[in-house]
Amino acid sequence: MSFLRDEKIRGILYQLITIVAFAMLALYIAHNTAQNIEARGIKTGFDFLNNSSGFDITESPIHYTTKSTHWDVYKVGLINTLIVSFFGIVLTSILGLIIGVARLSSNWIISRLAATYIETFRNIPVLLQILFWYNVVLAAMPSVRHSYSFFNSIFINQRGIFVPKPIFLDGSIYIAISIVVAIIIGWFIRIWAKKRLEETGKEFPLFLTNLALLIILPLITYYATGKPINFDYPVLKGFNFEGGKTYTPEFLALLFALTIYTATFIAEAIRSGIEAVNKGQKEAAQALGLSKMQALKLVILPQAIRVAIPPIISQYLNLIKNSSLAAAIGYPELVTVFAGTSLNVTGQALEIMAITMGTYLVISIIVSLVLNWFNHKMKIKER
Amino acid sequence: MKRLMKLSAAVAMVATLATAGTLDDVKKAGVLKCGVSTGLPGFAEADSKGTWRGLDVDYCRALAAAVLGDASKVKYVPLTAKERFTALQSGEIDVLSRNTTWTETRDTTLGINFAGVNYYDGQGFMVAKSLGVKSAKDLNGATVCIQAGTTTEMNLADYFKTNGMKYKAITFDQNSQVDDAFFAGRCDVLTTDQSGLYAKRTKAKDPSKYVILPDIISKEPLGPSVRQGDDQWFNIAKWVLNAVITAEEKGVTSKNVDDMAKTSKDPEVQRLLSKDGTMCKNVGLEPGCFANAIKQVGNYGEMFERNVGINTPLKIKRGLNALWNKGGILYSPPFR
Ligand SMILES: N[C@@H](CCC(=O)N[C@@H](CS)C(=O)NCC(=O)O)C(=O)O
């Protein structure tokens, strides 16, 4: 038995024992579950995914009717989760960056405002914030008959924001092409501007130029090809507005709450990132004659972001998971429609919960893989 | 995500809990765990002192009185529509008494058994008076507030489809959020069991501003349910309900139950209340079990009038819920 004294072997042995014990426990639970479910006469299996759901979903990005299956319900829920998560992440990153930088502003009022924002919204549970914004939207907006109207084509009321929806006709592909072309040209301008900066030291208004390019080129194409985009305008019919695109109060409240809440954490991550940048860097930037803005943009932020990325990744993941709180206000994301209504209709809690949790796991893993890869790429390359 | 965790924890409990005798468990615990709604006036609602009241609550109390001899030995577990069946399956509650519709799918696939019907209902619609809507057929294009996990959700889709009408459903988890959204004007229509509409209307700032449409679009027999696979407990749940219905039929009330037990010449009343307790023993309870329930909680009619009847804010007439010999369909098999 002397090999037991070898620490390495002992370590492996312990691990083996743990794995076996865990596997046995898992098997026991699975077996027990199957037996209990059988004994109680609870239906099992995944056939229900092919049955038609029999209920309607209000906001569906893909074609969906009451004849669609529970599998379609799953897809609608998943896409809605992804939509709100995507916009949430984009908006919260922008807001978080602004607040994080403002927090360190030398202007006392700005920095106090940012600090107050962070302290307030970070410490209120996000579910309460979702409900709060939802009820604010409902209470503050006028009823359908008294909607705020802008140019008779955009309407705002308790039922949401109604905007014209573009309908793409035949020639619209050229507009898409023109956007791509604008981006490519912009990219060349960037290379040229960089080279010029290095050679002559003159800055070029890159952002403005490219923005103008991105607007003007497609606009010209639009008129040149005979306006191939039509708009479907919302109109008041009976109870509600019909046509156009609707952003519901549920979607807006959820997006708003998730953005505002998560931004507090992102702001803190950015702040600690900035504080982690060596003071000498800032002084060196000043010594080079860079303006405050330039120093922030060119010297401080690129280094700060590197420190901030890992905590920001976990905030993105939190945002995605928190989107499931939408069940409280009825935004039809995965948990609301699939782990909610489908579960109610079929009663197959075990299967549906397994699929739902598996889905969140996969989303989380994909997001962290992508961001970790990005993090790796951004790391300071030692030369 | 929290809710998700809670649900999956309950699912996991299904995995580990073996079916034991519920009666023994309840007796050992000395308290009946009863699943009720989170707050529906007249059916299950906690007042400002935390005392639960309502028709569904009274069933829990009658059951506790029959099983434990004390109607107050109940632990109320408020459940949303979505949570209720998992809570029952997992053993978090002993009985579910929460305006739950008895349907084929629920009875056969969820591992539960319905003990009977304590309120015959049907799905209706409530709208703001100012909309001028007279019938459900006028609701084409309306936005409808509903609660997730209900039969309501499914009937609604059926009804609008059969009538070739469109609607937008806004589905909430929490009952209170459904009400808030509707009264704030998010939806044109609130739909649920008609009894629920009467209950919810009492919560409006000005109830007279809302009307309940005459249309009934479904059958909603509401009743208590228990876990499948425990026949003894199922029998108890069934016959306590039958006992309070039979009591009304025979004129036995909480006030006269002691006298009736002694003086009544009606053989069925004697069997129901008898001291030798054959009927109670049949279901596995102590003698006097049904008498206890009636004495402490009352017969069905008393429960009804106390909680939802014409003298309560809900002002519901007996209608279908009158006894079979009084123009309704309430009918208990005989105590024999
Ligand atoms: N009877 C229907 C609907 C029951 C139901 O949940 N109704 C809602 C709306 S009235 C309710 O009572 N909610 C109370 C709660 O969630 O606490 C069913 O069994 O599905």
Side-chain angles (χ1 to χ4, degrees):
Chain A
M1 294 301 269
S2 65
F3 69 90
L4 272 181
R5 258 174 241 137
D6 186 328
E7 207 164 306
K8 215 161 155 195
I9 292 185
R10 231 170 39 209
I12 294 175
L13 214 63
Y14 286 149
Q15 296 204 3
L16 267 179
I17 291 173
T18 316
I19 290 173
V20 169
F22 184 75
M24 272 162 60
L25 184 71
L27 265 177
Y28 169 77
I29 291 178
H31 176 75
N32 218 353
T33 309
Q35 252 186 356
N36 282 341
I37 283 182
E38 174 89 33
R40 300 255 174 92
I42 299 176
K43 201 156 117 191
T44 53
F46 289 90
D47 293 346
F48 71 93
L49 286 173
N50 295 321
N51 299 348
S52 76
S53 71
F55 60 88
D56 236 328
I57 301 178
T58 308
E59 282 184 84
S60 174
I62 59 175
H63 180 72
Y64 179 92
T65 68
T66 49
K67 289 207 191 69
S68 304
T69 63
H70 288 292
W71 179 241
D72 295 320
V73 174
Y74 171 80
K75 287 189 282 190
V76 171
L78 178 61
I79 296 174
N80 278 337
T81 293
L82 294 177
I83 289 175
V84 77
S85 301
F86 174 79
F87 286 110
I89 285 176
V90 171
L91 293 179
T92 204
S93 305
I94 298 171
L95 186 63
L97 180 65
I98 295 172
I99 304 283
V101 171
R103 177 74 185 80
L104 290 176
S105 164
S106 49
N107 182 324
W108 187 83
I109 293 181
I110 291 182
S111 111
R112 269 330 299 161
L113 276 179
T116 312
Y117 169 91
I118 292 171
E119 286 312 317
T120 314
F121 289 105
R122 192 176 55 175
N123 292 319
I124 300 174
V126 64
L127 178 58
L128 286 186
Q129 296 193 37
I130 293 173
L131 288 172
F132 174 77
W133 291 118
Y134 186 57
N135 291 324
V136 163
V137 171
L138 291 191
M141 291 300 144
S143 68
V144 178
R145 309 266 152 108
H146 304 105
S147 306
Y148 297 131
S149 152
F150 301 90
F151 317 109
N152 242 334
S153 51
I154 298 175
F155 301 92
I156 300 181
N157 60 42
Q158 282 178 325
R159 309 283 165 86
I161 300 178
F162 299 79
V163 298
K165 186 166 77 182
I167 296 176
F168 299 102
L169 305 177
D170 269 352
S172 50
I173 181 75
Y174 295 110
I175 300 177
I177 294 176
S178 74
I179 293 175
V180 175
V181 170
I183 291 175
I184 295 176
I185 296 179
W187 191 62
F188 277 114
I189 296 181
R190 196 183 112 121
I191 295 178
W192 168 81
K194 211 165 168 190
K195 208 165 132 213
R196 194 177 83 139
L197 182 71
E198 269 161 24
E199 280 167 6
T200 66
K202 276 189 201 140
E203 271 231 67
F204 184 77
L206 191 64
F207 181 73
L208 285 182
T209 323
N210 281 352
L211 192 68
L213 199 67
L214 209 54
I215 293 170
I216 293 169
L217 208 59
L219 215 57
I220 294 175
T221 323
Y222 173 70
Y223 284 105
T225 49
K227 306 193 204 172
I229 301 179
N230 265 355
F231 284 93
D232 176 23
Y233 290 94
V235 279
L236 185 57
K237 265 200 201 134
F239 290 103
N240 290 313
F241 280 91
E242 272 174 32
K245 170 112 188 72
T246 313
Y247 296 97
T248 61
E250 291 78 30
F251 173 75
L252 295 171
L254 181 66
L255 183 63
F256 216 63
L258 289 179
T259 301
I260 288 180
Y261 175 73
T262 316
T264 62
F265 295 94
I266 297 206
E268 285 294 82
I270 300 268
R271 178 176 77 129
S272 61
I274 292 177
E275 279 176 341
V277 175
N278 200 325
K279 228 184 169 165
Q281 296 279 332
K282 198 171 162 190
E283 286 162 5
Q286 265 165 5
L288 282 175
L290 295 183
S291 74
K292 254 191 184 164
M293 206 53 202
Q294 282 174 323
L296 187 67
K297 203 176 95 190
L298 299 172
V299 179
I300 313 286
L301 273 185
Q303 301 182 66
I305 292 285
R306 286 184 186 124
V307 181
I309 283 178
I312 287 179
I313 295 178
S314 66
Q315 287 315 319
Y316 287 169
L317 295 180
N318 278 344
L319 185 143
I320 296 171
K321 284 180 265 177
N322 283 337
S323 73
S324 70
L325 292 171
I329 56 168
Y331 173 69
E333 46 70 64
L334 191 60
V335 171
T336 309
V337 292
F338 188 63
T341 308
S342 279
L343 196 158
N344 167 40
V345 175
T346 64
Q348 296 195 260
L350 216 56
E351 293 84 351
I352 288 184
M353 283 337 254
I355 297 177
T356 308
M357 292 172 80
T359 306
Y360 275 100
L361 190 66
V362 171
I363 298 176
S364 293
I365 289 176
I366 293 178
V367 170
S368 36
L369 279 181
V370 169
L371 289 173
N372 277 331
W373 167 82
F374 180 70
N375 186 21
H376 200 74
K377 229 188 101 195
M378 287 288 286
K379 271 217 187 102
I380 296 184
K381 299 186 186 60
E382 309 270 346
R383 276 181 271 237
Chain B
M1 215 57 194
K2 274 237 188 69
R3 281 206 161 245
L4 200 66
M5 299 310 273
K6 211 169 136 192
L7 251 174
S8 17
V11 170
M13 270 165 79
V14 179
T16 46
L17 240 132
T19 330
T22 311
L23 177 60
D24 293 339
D25 291 351
V26 171
K27 277 191 185 152
K28 212 182 288 160
V31 57
L32 174 78
K33 287 174 291 184
C34 194
V36 293
S37 75
T38 60
L40 193 62
F43 286 84
E45 196 185 32
D47 67 16
S48 55
K49 290 197 200 78
T51 315
W52 283 87
R53 285 180 210 291
L55 190 65
D56 287 338
V57 167
D58 276 351
Y59 174 77
C60 304
R61 297 179 60 231
L63 190 59
V67 174
L68 300 167
D70 184 347
S72 68
K73 294 238 165 79
V74 184
K75 182 175 170 241
Y76 296 97
V77 181
L79 297 165
T80 69
K82 241 163 89 174
E83 293 162 344
R84 58 185 154 175
F85 299 118
T86 327
L88 183 60
Q89 289 164 348
S90 67
E92 195 184 333
I93 54 176
D94 303 313
V95 60
L96 177 68
S97 178
R98 185 203 168 284
N99 52 342
T100 295
T101 307
W102 184 354
T103 70
E104 198 267 3
T105 310
R106 287 174 176 175
D107 202 352
T108 57
T109 67
L110 295 182
I112 65 174
N113 280 328
F114 283 87
V117 177
N118 71 342
Y119 191 100
Y120 288 96
D121 209 341
Q123 184 173 337
F125 298 96
M126 175 158 67
V127 295
K129 228 177 221 165
S130 59
L131 279 183
V133 172
K134 289 281 172 296
S135 143
K137 296 265 161 56
D138 302 336
L139 292 176
N140 194 9
T143 304
V144 187
C145 278
I146 46 175
Q147 189 174 17
T150 55
T151 46
T152 314
E153 210 177 359
M154 294 174 259
N155 299 334
L156 184 66
D158 284 355
Y159 179 78
F160 276 79
K161 198 165 66 189
T162 15
N163 288 294
M165 306 196 298
K166 280 212 195 101
Y167 71 102
K168 281 199 165 77
I170 313 290
T171 313
F172 300 92
D173 248 11
Q174 297 290 333
N175 185 39
S176 54
Q177 198 60 45
V178 179
D179 303 351
D180 290 351
F182 173 71
F183 291 123
R186 173 66 181 104
C187 303
D188 305 300
V189 188
L190 194 164
T191 178
T192 184
D193 305 336
Q194 208 175 42
S195 63
L197 296 178
Y198 286 111
K200 282 159 184 277
R201 190 165 61 173
T202 64
K203 289 199 209 163
K205 247 193 234 116
D206 181 359
S208 67
K209 285 215 170 102
Y210 298 91
V211 282
I212 292 165
L213 300 180
D215 315 65
I216 294 282
I217 65 162
S218 70
K219 288 192 286 185
E220 307 286 333
L222 312 179
S225 51
V226 294
R227 266 184 301 285
Q228 193 168 315
D230 185 347
D231 287 348
Q232 183 188 37
W233 186 245
F234 183 30
N235 282 339
I236 295 173
K238 258 192 296 204
W239 286 96
V240 168
L241 180 57
N242 286 332
V244 295
I245 295 173
T246 302
E248 179 180 14
E249 188 179 329
K250 298 289 176 187
V252 184
T253 68
S254 55
K255 309 245 161 47
N256 69 12
V257 57
D258 287 338
D259 291 344
M260 293 281 270
K262 277 184 226 131
T263 59
S264 175
K265 298 273 178 312
D266 184 330
E268 190 171 7
V269 173
Q270 284 169 7
R271 281 191 294 272
L272 178 69
L273 306 175
S274 80
K275 285 279 177 288
D276 76 3
T278 316
M279 297 278 140
C280 283
K281 273 186 212 145
N282 286 346
V283 294
L285 294 178
E286 307 289 320
C289 64
F290 300 127
N292 273 340
I294 298 163
K295 185 168 179 188
Q296 297 183 28
V297 189
N299 66 32
Y300 181 83
E302 292 179 87
M303 293 180 184
F304 191 98
E305 294 307 337
R306 168 161 70 230
N307 295 304
V308 299
I310 206 77
N311 293 321
T312 65
L314 277 77
K315 296 192 183 53
I316 301 180
K317 295 197 194 81
R318 284 296 287 267
L320 279 184
N321 294 297
L323 289 169
W324 61 281
N325 51 9
K326 299 249 171 69
I329 56 173
L330 214 61
Y331 187 103
S332 157
F335 275 75
R336 165 157 299 284

